[in-house]
């Protein structure tokens, strides 16, 4: 059996990355350490019901519906006053409580998913592989070196714990089913609450979710030139109703906050279009934009990786080019 | 407060890489080396925290003999001393092995009179991206653990500066970015905290820092055999995609062509 930790957003909807992870689980019955030859009902039966989900906290009708459409046959619903605030240790133990001794436990490779799976791996004595992108008879394939290379590996043991790299898989719905919902009487150990979130400060600037869900992201790199050089790109962001994403050089120089950083150590995004302005295309930046459907580069250097990897490019100074793009948009609006 | 920061020597990669002859590692011969970026921030956080609370910063690495360069780089920006656990083939160690080795060294240092109130790691290393070593180490040490932390400050019941107890005392406040905003945690020491870059800017070494780094004390350990061993079969490289870029033009004159593309995708606000 493959059991997936499902993240939901504040509105109670299943997050995009969790939908990816569920799709990955459903499409890879061979995730079982024995190569999928097990005779469990999940693997030998029809695809529906082969994947089970774990939801911690409120479970909305929308989430149940979405999970049914993603082919999740059973939802383990874990609710307890002590789990209302996030605590990795307590949440991980709750997940472990419903995880069978053999099979696969997985989550998407978000900060939460990574942290919970690592705790769960220690608590079950399992091995864990982070950032998995594929699975076949030979084993697992995962991203290493920021996506420059892949590691082929095999996790021994009855239970294997994984996280699925963001955008390794496109969410796909299947024949809808009505998931069975199982609720539990949980006990939460006091010691596991030592790492509980005390409070959350919500500021607009902290919200990276706008970046990960935007349909259009305008990227800005060192080529912007200075802290004051963002006027044109911000105007373009506004025209597109999108989000600004920046390279690490930009955050490193303190021009913009780290929440806007895209890449290996920033957000991983999957917009319909990513417009990279003055960004060279270092591998660690590319790791964050693999999910972009259309890639546009605006760069003075025709030879840069970003231009070579783009679908469309304009060669030139980004301030002039983006300025002209803004003018053209305004002109067409009339 | 005595702080240990676990750092890793990693190849400094900007573009594509080639594999070594065995196909189990990347060819590092033409590459420079650096410290993983989360760990650079962990070192900075440790220096700031030790300055605030009074105490020392020790850096530890499990790696080849050359990894002493990364230890000295940390001393050059303000760490006090280093511990090198020399392993010829650190890629043979699984995350659980690395956590075990570090845990054993920490216990050995404690027996020698050097205890740590706080252990910092990076969230994950730039090369393996395992995201487990800090958490596994915390369980091995029976300490609480936080990950994805960007800043820490000393605070709580007794100020956290150490009240003369044998091991870490006091509390520490830690902040990290959660899905809904900045999350604030409060933890009793001793604890393990895995740091995510972005909360602090690593400083540059000063001339005196560099001088100090040359003379810094580095305690050396031999790594034991990896216990469980790495599950790696081999490395593979992604397919190199041939460029299929459409150059829309040069300079501002190309703007209308890009607006056409954006209109076609349907992302321009009406
Ligand atoms: C462990 C690790 C993790 C990392 N994580 C990330 C990450 O998450 N995200 C990330 O982005 N980076 C990350 N990096 C850094 C990465 O390696 C690069 O250093 C960084 O992405 C480069 O940023 P840049 O493209 O803005 O700058 P540069 O590489 O300096 O490129 C600037 C580009 O702008 C162009 N340019 C200059 N002037 C103009 C102009 N007027 N108009 C148009 N174009 C112009 C230049 O031709 C060049 O292509 C990481 C590095 C490491 C080691």
């Amino acid at each position: 059996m493959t059991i997936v930790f499902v993240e939901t957003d504040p509105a109670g909807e299943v997050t995009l990355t969790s939908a990816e992870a569920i799709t990955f689980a459903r499409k890879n019955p061979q995730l079982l350490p024995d190569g999928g030859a097990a005779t469990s009902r999940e693997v030998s039966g029809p695809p529906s019901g082969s994947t089970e989900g774990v939801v911690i906290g409120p479970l909305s009708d929308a989430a149940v519906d979405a999970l049914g459409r993603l082919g999740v046959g059973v939802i383990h619903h874990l609710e307890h006053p002590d789990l209302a605030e996030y605590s990795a240790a307590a949440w991980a133990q709750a997940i472990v409580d419903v995880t069978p001794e053999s099979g696969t436990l997985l989550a998407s490779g978000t900060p939460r998913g990574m942290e919970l799976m690592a705790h769960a791996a220690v608590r079950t004595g399992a091995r864990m592989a982070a950032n998995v992108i594929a699975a076949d008879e030979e084993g697992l394939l995962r991203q290493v070196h920021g996506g420059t290379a892949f590691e082929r590996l095999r996790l021994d043991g009855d239970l294997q714990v994984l996280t699925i790299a963001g955008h390794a898989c496109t969410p796909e719905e299947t024949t809808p089913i009505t998931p069975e919902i199982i609720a539990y009487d949980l006990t939460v150990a006091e010691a596991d609450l030592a790492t509980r979130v005390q409070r959350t400060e919500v500021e607009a600037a902290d919200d990276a979710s706008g970046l990960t869900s935007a349909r259009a992201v305008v990227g800005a790199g060192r080529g912007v030139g200075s802290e004051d050089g963002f006027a044109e790109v911000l105007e373009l962001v506004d025209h597109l109703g999108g989000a600004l994403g920046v390279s690490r050089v930009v955050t490193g120089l303190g021009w913009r906050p780290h929440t806007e950083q895209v890449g290996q150590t920033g957000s991983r995004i999957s917009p319909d279009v990513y417009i990279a302005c003055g960004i060279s295309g270092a591998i660690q930046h590319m790791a964050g934009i693999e999910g972009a459907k259309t890639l546009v580069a605006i760069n003075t250097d025709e030879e840069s990786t970003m231009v070579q990897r783009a679908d469309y490019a304009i060669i030139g100074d980004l301030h002039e080019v983006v300025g002209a793009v803004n003018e053209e948009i305004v002109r067409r609006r009339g | 407060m005595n702080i240990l920061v676990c750092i890793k020597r990693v190849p400094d990669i900007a573009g594509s890489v080639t594999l070594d002859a065995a196909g189990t590692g990347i060819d590092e011969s033409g590459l420079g080396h650096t410290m993983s970026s989360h760990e650079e921030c962990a070192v900075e956080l440790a220096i700031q925290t030790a300055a605030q609370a009074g105490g020392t910063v020790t850096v530890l690495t499990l790696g080849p003999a050359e990894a002493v360069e990364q230890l000295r780089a940390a001393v050059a920006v303000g760490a006090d001393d280093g511990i090198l656990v020399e392993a010829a083939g650190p890629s043979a160690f699984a995350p659980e092995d690395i956590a075990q080795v570090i845990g054993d060294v920490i216990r050995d240092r404690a027996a020698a009179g050097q205890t740590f109130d706080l252990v910092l790691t990076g969230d994950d290393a730039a090369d393996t991206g395992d995201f487990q070593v800090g958490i596994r180490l915390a369980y091995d040490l029976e300490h609480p653990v936080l990950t994805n932390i960007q800043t820490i400050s000393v605070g709580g019941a007794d100020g956290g500066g150490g009240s003369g107890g044998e091991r870490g005392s006091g509390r520490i406040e830690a902040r990290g970015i959660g899905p809904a905003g900045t999350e604030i945690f409060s933890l009793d020491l001793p604890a393990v905290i895995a740091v995510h870059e972005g909360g602090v800017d690593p400083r540059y070494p000063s001339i005196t820092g560099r001088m100090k780094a040359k003379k810094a004390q580095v305690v050396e350990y031999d790594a034991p055999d990896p216990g469980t061993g790495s599950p790696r079969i081999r490395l593979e490289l992604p397919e190199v995609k041939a460029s299929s870029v459409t150059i829309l033009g040069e300079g501002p004159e190309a703007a209308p062509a890009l607006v056409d593309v954006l209109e076609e995708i349907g992302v321009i606000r009406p």
Side-chain angles (χ1 to χ4, degrees):
Chain A
M1 179 208 298
T2 302
I3 193 154
V4 184
F5 168 67
V6 180
E7 288 181 74
T8 52
D9 65 18
E13 306 272 354
V14 173
T15 61
L16 173 70
T17 46
S18 280
E20 293 170 355
I22 293 164
T23 306
F24 186 95
R26 200 183 73 224
K27 292 192 152 186
N28 289 282
Q30 74 278 22
L31 270 175
L32 286 172
D34 62 4
T39 53
S40 82
R41 73 185 154 89
E42 286 78 18
V43 174
S44 54
S48 60
S50 61
T51 305
E52 303 194 352
V54 184
V55 175
I56 300 183
L59 178 65
S60 68
D61 291 345
V64 175
D65 191 53
L67 292 173
R69 280 182 281 119
L70 288 162
V72 172
V74 177
I75 301 172
H76 302 274
H77 182 211
L78 308 177
E79 226 176 359
H80 189 282
D82 285 343
L83 300 180
E85 297 298 337
Y86 178 67
S87 163
W91 280 37
Q93 185 56 47
I95 296 169
V96 166
D97 286 345
V98 301
T99 300
E101 280 175 11
S102 66
T104 301
L105 171 65
L106 65 83
S108 61
T110 59
R112 285 275 196 270
M114 291 283 203
E115 182 175 42
L116 289 171
M117 292 303 101
H119 276 270
V122 186
R123 284 167 186 251
T124 54
R127 286 192 150 188
M128 165 175 156
N131 298 316
V132 171
I133 54 163
D136 59 27
E137 291 68 27
E138 223 193 325
L140 303 167
L141 198 63
R142 72 179 195 102
Q143 291 176 342
V144 290
H145 294 283
T148 332
F150 302 136
E151 179 180 49
R152 172 75 66 182
L153 77 162
R154 190 168 257 288
L155 297 182
D156 46 21
D158 292 335
L159 179 71
Q160 60 180 353
V161 178
L162 320 176
T163 66
I164 307 302
H167 315 310
C169 172
T170 310
E172 253 177 57
E173 297 190 348
T174 177
T175 319
I177 48 177
T178 307
E180 179 190 348
I181 300 171
I182 308 177
Y184 295 82
D185 249 348
L186 295 170
T187 44
V188 178
E190 190 60 35
D192 285 344
L193 297 174
T195 56
R196 181 161 49 175
V197 172
Q198 301 291 306
R199 60 179 199 281
T200 303
E201 289 173 5
V202 186
E203 292 159 30
D206 281 344
D207 183 14
S209 62
L211 183 56
T212 48
S213 61
R215 285 190 59 217
V217 175
V218 184
R222 193 199 303 263
V224 168
S226 74
E227 192 174 352
D228 302 324
F230 287 82
E232 293 94 352
V233 285
L234 286 172
E235 187 185 336
L236 180 56
V237 167
D238 193 44
H239 287 314
L240 304 181
L244 176 70
V246 302
S247 74
R248 179 160 170 236
V249 167
V250 168
T251 57
L253 289 165
W255 294 350
R256 303 290 306 183
H258 182 262
T259 40
E260 292 176 353
Q261 182 171 313
V262 168
Q264 186 188 340
T265 50
S267 293
R268 294 179 183 229
I269 59 172
S270 54
D272 288 344
V273 60
Y274 182 65
I275 307 170
C277 308
I279 301 180
S280 61
I283 198 83
Q284 297 89 354
H285 189 80
M286 301 311 281
I289 62 170
E290 262 158 24
K293 292 193 186 64
T294 301
L295 182 55
V296 179
I298 300 174
N299 203 302
T300 44
D301 176 9
E302 192 168 355
E303 301 297 318
S304 67
T305 310
M306 191 60 85
V307 170
Q308 295 305 312
R309 291 279 303 274
D311 299 297
Y312 301 98
I314 296 179
I315 310 306
D317 182 292
L318 72 94
H319 297 286
E320 291 175 17
V321 174
V322 178
V325 169
N326 289 331
E327 277 171 30
E328 179 68 13
I329 291 174
V330 172
R331 197 183 62 74
R332 289 193 195 185
R333 272 202 196 113
Chain B
M1 179 185 309
N2 297 333
I3 306 173
L4 178 72
V5 192
C6 304
I7 64 174
K8 186 171 187 188
R9 175 184 174 88
V10 293
D12 196 357
I13 297 169
S16 58
V17 296
T18 51
L19 298 184
D20 61 17
T24 53
I26 64 166
D27 178 4
E28 297 188 11
S29 53
L31 297 171
H33 289 82
T34 180
M35 187 189 306
S36 276
S37 55
H38 298 315
E39 293 145 31
E40 283 180 352
C41 292
V43 169
E44 177 62 32
L45 271 179
I47 294 164
Q48 290 181 10
T49 307
Q52 188 194 355
T56 59
V57 176
T58 301
V59 280
L60 175 152
T61 190
L62 177 126
E66 298 80 30
V68 77
E69 285 169 26
Q70 277 61 49
L71 294 178
R72 294 201 189 280
V75 173
V77 292
D80 296 283
D81 54 9
I83 300 171
L84 172 68
V85 187
E86 198 179 324
S91 62
F93 290 75
E96 43 271 52
D97 303 327
I98 297 168
Q100 180 72 52
V101 171
I102 297 173
D104 289 342
V105 169
I106 290 175
R107 282 181 283 271
D108 191 74
R109 295 313 302 158
Q114 187 181 24
T115 56
F116 301 105
D117 309 295
L118 180 62
V119 180
L120 299 183
T121 68
D123 257 352
D124 58 358
D127 53 355
T128 50
D130 281 317
F131 208 99
Q132 303 160 54
V133 171
I135 291 174
R136 289 186 183 275
L137 174 62
Y139 279 87
D140 181 56
L141 296 171
E142 298 183 11
H143 291 351
V145 57
L146 298 175
T147 70
N148 205 31
I149 294 304
Q150 292 191 306
T151 58
I152 53 179
S153 53
V154 179
D158 62 1
S163 59
E166 272 187 13
R167 298 215 49 193
S169 52
R171 282 178 86 74
I172 198 145
E173 189 180 87
R175 300 165 76 92
I177 304 282
T182 302
E183 294 178 334
I184 294 116
F185 301 87
S186 181
L187 267 193
D188 279 326
L189 299 178
V192 177
I193 291 184
V195 174
H196 196 92
E197 81 162 345
V200 286
D201 291 328
R203 67 189 76 184
Y204 292 103
S206 61
I207 304 277
T208 44
R210 284 184 214 272
M211 305 283 283
K212 189 179 131 211
K214 282 192 191 142
K215 290 180 268 174
Q217 189 201 344
V218 175
V219 178
E220 292 187 22
Y221 285 84
D222 290 334
D225 288 336
T228 56
S230 166
R232 175 175 296 179
I233 300 169
R234 62 174 181 276
L235 287 191
E236 297 174 13
L237 295 179
E239 263 175 60
V240 187
K241 294 188 199 100
S243 173
S244 58
V245 61
T246 303
I247 305 282
L248 298 172
E250 287 193 21
E253 289 76 47
L258 177 53
V259 178
D260 288 345
V261 169
L262 297 176
E263 273 181 347
E264 198 175 313
I265 300 171
V267 286
I268 299 182
R269 260 209 325 218

